[in-house]
């Protein structure tokens, strides 16, 4: 009786509209993914055989890994300073970070180009640090694009950890650093894993700033997105689609890995004093 | 004349829009002191100020004659139990209790012995390996007390320690607190909004309303003291 009555209850108009829009959004996203999969699959073997594509995969993975590690190393203390200290110009720093987040990446690349073309850049070149048109430039572009994003994610994670837990830890004998390592970090472990993987995926797909700072030179500064762009520009659409499916596979693997790590983190216990 | 462990002199602190105004108060060694007031009166802010968590806007708080802010956090020898207990959710009950001992460089044997002793004392040995997320309110509270007391603090600060407990657990914990006080001989300052709880457990009571300390009385005189109108209304005498 009850089930029949429940079946008769129709969802309200608002719920119906929301579900319909959600289904349309899913359809749209699904069609984008399907376009890559269907277009890329027949040429996947060709892409793996291509030396250029293999170079692009290696270069993208290496630069993304380096820039992500640097991002995390810089973002952790910066986020701590922004959430837990009374650092000077805190508000200005937050506005600046938001601004860079909303700026087109091409513009960030342009600003890097101006900086590294200046006397400062020339001085660095004198010391053997060449940024423009080099692989180091790719790392720099990824870092510039991702750092504000990474800081924002970690800031949010730190803000979600109750400061009183750190106070309790300190009253029990922990230094600020100890409290950070034994309380704050383990409590936002999942968010940190997500941030790492998302930052890495974003770095892998970075194009605008990289294009502006280092350009795309075959077998030198050819990242995966750069490779897709070059192949499309030269009319090699099948290779472009195959490269695109490789990017999709890497991103998908990263996402699965992230979910696995976070899932395990939820089940087990972390750390100790 | 008893020695004060804590002297609060003209202490003011601002937290957002809230201002704790010119508090003057002495708390004596081995005393049980209740900070009584309604929600939003500034009780927790005062308790956190005693622990030296906030920089004052004015005035000072002295712990054994030393300005609490000049004593490094880890050397204040203060135990703090928050209303929500402040247990570390990512580590087990046992590890929560061991936390401070490890930081103080105790030997493995000493850590084990002290932790076992506290867990037995508070009847929480059966939940030693459980996460604080999976235990009851009463167990959380006993864990938080064990964690604070294992370090043998001179001053124990309790923020509304019984507010989240059901009636029977509350009754049990009242006698637990008395036992703790007898056994550990520490000074206890606790925050409450419950008159009967304050009267039952404390030697003296400080009434705090609107960020000001309105009166300090012996607990037996709480209901027959001479107060300003605001306190009379709070106590339900007007």
């Amino acid at each position: 009786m009850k089930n029949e009555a429940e079946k008769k209850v129709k969802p309200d108009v608002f719920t119906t509209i929301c579900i319909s829009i959600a289904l349309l959004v899913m359809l749209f996203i699904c069609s984008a993914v399907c376009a890559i999969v269907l277009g890329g699959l027949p040429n996947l073997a060709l892409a793996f055989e291509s030396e250029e594509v293999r170079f692009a995969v290696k270069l993208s993975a290496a630069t993304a890994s380096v820039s992500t590690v640097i991002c995390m190393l810089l973002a952790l203390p910066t986020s701590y300073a922004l959430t837990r200290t009374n650092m000077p110009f805190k508000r200005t720093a937050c506005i600046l970070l938001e601004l860079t987040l909303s700026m087109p990446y091409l513009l960030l690349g342009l600003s890097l180009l101006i900086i590294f073309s200046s006397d400062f850049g020339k001085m660095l070149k004198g010391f053997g640090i060449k940024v423009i048109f080099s692989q180091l430039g790719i790392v720099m572009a990824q870092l510039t694009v991702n750092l504000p994003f990474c800081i924002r994610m970690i800031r949010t994670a730190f803000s979600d950890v109750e400061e009183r837990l750190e106070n309790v830890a300190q009253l029990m004998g922990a230094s600020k650093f100890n409290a950070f390592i034994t309380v704050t970090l383990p409590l936002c472990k999942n968010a940190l894993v997500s941030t790492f993987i998302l930052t890495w995926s974003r770095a892998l797909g970075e194009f605008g700033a990289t294009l502006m700072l280092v350009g795309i030179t075959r077998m030198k500064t050819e990242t995966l997105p750069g490779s897709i762009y070059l192949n499309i520009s030269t009319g090699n659409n099948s290779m472009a689609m195959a490269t695109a499916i490789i990017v999709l596979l890497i991103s998908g693997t990263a996402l699965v890995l992230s979910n696995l790590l976070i899932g395990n983190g939820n089940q087990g216990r972390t750390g100790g004093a | 004349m008893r020695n004060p462990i804590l002297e609060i002199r003209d202490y003011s602190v601002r937290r957002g829009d809230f201002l704790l105004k010119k508090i003057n108060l002495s708390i004596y060694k081995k005393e049980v002191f209740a900070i009584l007031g309604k929600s939003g009166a500034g009780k927790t802010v005062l308790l956190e100020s005693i622990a030296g968590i906030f920089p004052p806007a004015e005035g000072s708080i002295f712990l054994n004659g030393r300005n609490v802010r000049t004593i490094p956090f880890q050397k204040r020898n203060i135990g703090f139990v928050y209303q929500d207990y402040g247990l570390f959710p990512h580590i087990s009950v046992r590890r929560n209790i061991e936390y401070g001992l490890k930081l103080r460089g105790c030997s493995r044997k000493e850590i084990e012995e002290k932790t076992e002793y506290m867990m037995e004392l508070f009847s929480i040995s059966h939940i030693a390996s459980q996460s604080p997320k999976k235990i009851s309110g009463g167990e959380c509270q006993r864990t938080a007390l064990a964690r604070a007391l294992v370090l043998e603090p001179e001053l124990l600060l309790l923020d509304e320690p019984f507010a989240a407990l059901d009636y029977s657990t509350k009754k049990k914990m009242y006698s637990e607190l008395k036992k703790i006080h007898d056994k550990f001989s520490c000074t206890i300052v606790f925050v409450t909004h419950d008159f009967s709880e304050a009267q039952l457990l404390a030697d003296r009571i400080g009434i705090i309303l609107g960020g000001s300390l309105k009166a300090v009385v012996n607990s037996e005189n709480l209901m027959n003291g001479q107060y300003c109108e605001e306190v009379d209304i709070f106590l339900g005498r007007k």
Side-chain angles (χ1 to χ4, degrees):
Chain A
M1 286 294 282
K2 194 184 169 192
N3 281 344
E4 273 175 32
E6 272 175 10
K7 274 179 200 167
K8 279 178 190 168
V9 177
K10 285 181 186 170
D12 62 289
V13 178
F14 178 68
T15 310
T16 314
I17 291 173
C18 286
I19 292 172
S20 309
I21 291 174
L23 289 173
L24 278 175
V25 169
M26 291 304 115
L27 192 70
F28 176 66
I29 293 171
C30 194
S31 61
V33 174
C34 282
I36 296 170
V37 173
L38 295 175
L41 264 182
N43 303 299
L44 192 58
L46 188 74
F48 278 120
E49 279 166 20
S50 155
E51 203 184 331
E52 284 159 11
V53 174
R54 285 209 303 271
F55 174 85
V57 171
K58 278 184 206 160
L59 181 65
S60 287
T63 51
S65 302
V66 172
S67 71
T68 303
V69 170
I70 300 173
C71 246
M72 293 298 281
L73 289 177
L74 296 174
L76 281 168
T78 307
S79 307
Y80 184 85
L82 289 171
T83 53
R84 295 290 193 271
T85 69
N86 292 319
M87 67 173 265
F89 310 114
K90 197 161 137 178
R91 182 105 187 102
T92 315
C94 291
I95 293 169
L96 201 66
L97 285 168
E98 296 293 321
L99 181 73
T100 42
L101 257 179
S102 56
M103 265 164 71
Y105 298 152
L106 210 69
L107 210 66
L108 286 173
L110 178 66
S111 63
L112 285 176
L113 188 64
I114 292 166
I115 292 170
F116 290 107
S117 312
S118 68
D119 290 342
F120 169 71
K122 281 170 194 157
M123 188 187 77
L124 284 179
K125 204 175 168 184
F127 287 114
I129 305 168
K130 191 171 175 272
V131 176
I132 301 173
F133 302 121
S134 77
Q135 292 178 357
L136 181 64
I138 302 173
V139 174
M140 191 56 81
Q142 291 171 348
L143 187 67
T144 311
V145 164
N146 274 337
L147 198 53
F149 167 79
C150 197
I151 292 170
R152 192 193 188 150
M153 295 279 284
I154 298 178
R155 248 176 70 199
T156 311
F158 284 175
S159 303
D160 287 344
V161 175
E162 281 190 65
E163 226 174 314
R164 59 175 57 187
L165 291 180
E166 290 161 27
N167 293 338
V168 169
Q170 286 187 64
L171 283 170
M172 283 196 288
S175 62
K176 271 190 191 288
F177 178 69
N178 252 329
F180 176 68
I181 296 292
T182 58
V183 177
T184 319
L185 281 188
L187 283 177
C188 39
K189 193 187 84 176
N190 288 352
L192 294 180
V193 171
S194 296
T195 304
F196 187 92
I197 296 194
L198 279 175
T199 306
W200 190 83
S201 297
R202 279 169 54 102
L204 196 83
E206 207 299 305
F207 180 64
T210 309
L211 179 72
M212 199 47 112
L213 189 64
V214 300
I216 310 159
T217 312
R218 283 260 190 236
M219 303 297 285
K220 192 184 173 210
T221 57
E222 186 183 1
T223 57
L224 279 169
S227 178
I228 295 170
Y229 179 75
L230 270 187
N231 284 321
I232 288 284
S233 306
T234 53
N236 194 351
N237 289 1
S238 53
M239 189 63 89
M241 291 308 288
T243 313
I245 201 171
I246 290 173
V247 177
L248 188 71
L249 279 174
I250 296 174
S251 301
T253 311
L255 187 70
V256 171
L257 193 71
S258 156
N259 286 338
L260 278 176
L261 285 171
I262 291 169
N264 287 342
N266 282 338
Q267 281 158 22
R269 269 184 207 107
T270 53
Chain B
M1 184 73 184
R2 287 191 294 168
N3 290 330
I5 183 173
L6 201 69
E7 287 174 276
I8 305 173
R9 297 281 166 261
D10 298 324
Y11 184 87
S12 300
V13 70
R14 182 173 282 284
R15 300 301 299 157
D17 291 336
F18 181 79
L19 178 67
L20 194 67
K21 288 163 253 173
K22 277 220 176 232
I23 305 285
N24 280 290
L25 175 68
S26 292
I27 294 173
Y28 300 100
K29 282 187 177 164
K30 297 183 184 174
E31 185 176 27
V32 179
F33 190 91
I35 301 169
L36 179 67
K38 39 186 180 182
S39 301
K43 307 186 293 290
T44 303
V45 175
L46 178 58
L47 205 68
E48 288 182 320
S49 299
I50 291 172
I53 290 168
F54 311 129
E58 261 179 67
S60 307
I61 295 179
F62 297 94
L63 184 67
N64 285 319
R66 277 182 72 188
N67 188 326
V68 72
R69 294 276 303 166
T70 65
I71 310 171
F73 248 109
Q74 52 271 42
K75 290 190 177 157
R76 288 178 195 167
N77 205 15
I78 293 174
F80 202 117
V81 177
Y82 276 103
Q83 186 176 359
D84 59 4
Y85 316 118
L87 293 172
F88 305 138
H90 59 295
I91 53 176
S92 66
V93 165
R94 179 190 290 279
R95 292 225 181 280
N96 262 280
I97 300 170
E98 288 175 348
Y99 186 89
L101 294 169
K102 281 185 182 172
L103 289 168
R104 289 188 183 191
C106 297
S107 68
R108 182 181 272 270
K109 194 179 166 219
E110 197 183 348
I111 293 172
E112 248 172 54
E113 278 173 7
K114 285 190 172 178
T115 306
E116 286 301 330
Y117 173 73
M118 291 309 287
M119 288 198 299
E120 259 175 51
L121 188 72
F122 285 94
S123 312
I124 48 173
S125 302
H126 64 291
I127 50 161
S129 59
Q130 290 203 36
S131 158
K133 286 183 269 186
K134 292 178 182 166
I135 59 178
S136 70
E139 287 168 337
C140 274
Q141 191 183 49
R142 292 205 294 274
T143 306
L145 283 170
R147 186 179 69 172
L149 287 165
V150 78
L151 300 172
E152 295 165 24
E154 209 180 348
L155 177 63
L156 181 62
L157 305 175
L158 307 172
D159 182 16
E160 303 239 17
F162 312 107
L165 302 179
D166 60 78
Y167 183 73
S168 65
T169 316
K170 210 184 260 193
K171 287 272 174 193
K172 248 186 257 170
M173 291 311 294
Y174 286 163
S175 61
E176 202 89 42
L177 191 74
K178 282 180 181 167
K179 265 194 253 168
I180 287 168
H181 186 242
D182 293 341
K183 195 164 187 70
F184 292 90
S185 305
C186 55
T187 308
I188 297 177
V189 180
F190 73 97
V191 158
T192 182
H193 56 260
D194 185 331
F195 313 145
S196 56
E197 191 172 281
Q199 276 184 301
L200 182 72
L201 299 170
D203 300 315
R204 287 190 306 147
I205 298 167
I207 301 169
I208 189 164
L209 292 170
S212 298
L213 186 67
K214 299 288 181 187
V216 177
V217 285
N218 286 330
S219 55
E220 62 268 25
N221 298 331
L222 178 66
M223 286 304 176
N224 40 34
Q226 292 285 317
Y227 306 115
C228 63
E229 196 182 355
E230 202 182 348
V231 175
D232 276 334
I233 293 169
F234 169 64
L235 292 175
R237 304 201 305 183
K238 265 194 181 173

